Amino acid sequence: KKYGHSQVTNALRKMFFDKCAYCESHITHVGYAHIEHFRPKSLFPQFCFDWDNLLLGCSVCNGARYKGTRFPEEAADGPIINPVDENPDMYLSFEYDPETGTANVLGKLDRGWTTVDITGLNRVELIRHRSDVVRKIAFVAIRAKNGDMQAIEELNRCCINDQEYAAFARSLKKKFEIKD
């Protein structure tokens, strides 16, 4: 019950911009955010009350079908990536395929693939929603590449951490070599 305290919840919501720490989807306009223990409290009770072990997660990434209490050790290509302490770009690639119109998360290293699998970052429902958003960002990125100043401004806004799927926007900006 201590995690449901409004001060804890509000601090995490602000820290993660009301987005899931794993899938970058906005949460609070359609459901309740979960206070997620990066290292599951059932496996790591010593981190149960450690602020640095708390993340904001959606009910799907953090649910029993995906992460839940799973936390693979190094021998099993773990642990999963901690998006607060580590740069996800080192382990993950955020790819938009214009031919299929899909936005997928791919692993660069084993830990990246493990994170994708355990948190369900390429589950069908997420790909569908994420691709709808990223397709629009890609359209803006193409216009920005062609020198449209308003598009550059909008793409820069899409890259800000509070925006849904900002990692994909930053990836497209880099791919098209768009400068601020």
Side-chain angles (χ1 to χ4, degrees), residues 1-13 32-57 62:
K1 291 185 178 183
K2 291 181 182 189
Y3 302 111
H5 193 278
S6 62
Q7 287 180 317
V8 174
T9 303
N10 290 339
L12 288 170
R13 286 182 62 185
Y32 297 102
H34 285 208
I35 295 177
E36 148 69 344
H37 289 83
F38 176 69
R39 289 179 183 81
K41 60 186 179 241
S42 61
L43 302 174
F44 302 91
Q46 69 272 28
F47 295 115
C48 186
F49 299 106
D50 186 341
W51 175 257
D52 293 331
N53 193 46
L54 301 179
L55 306 174
L56 196 70
N62 190 40

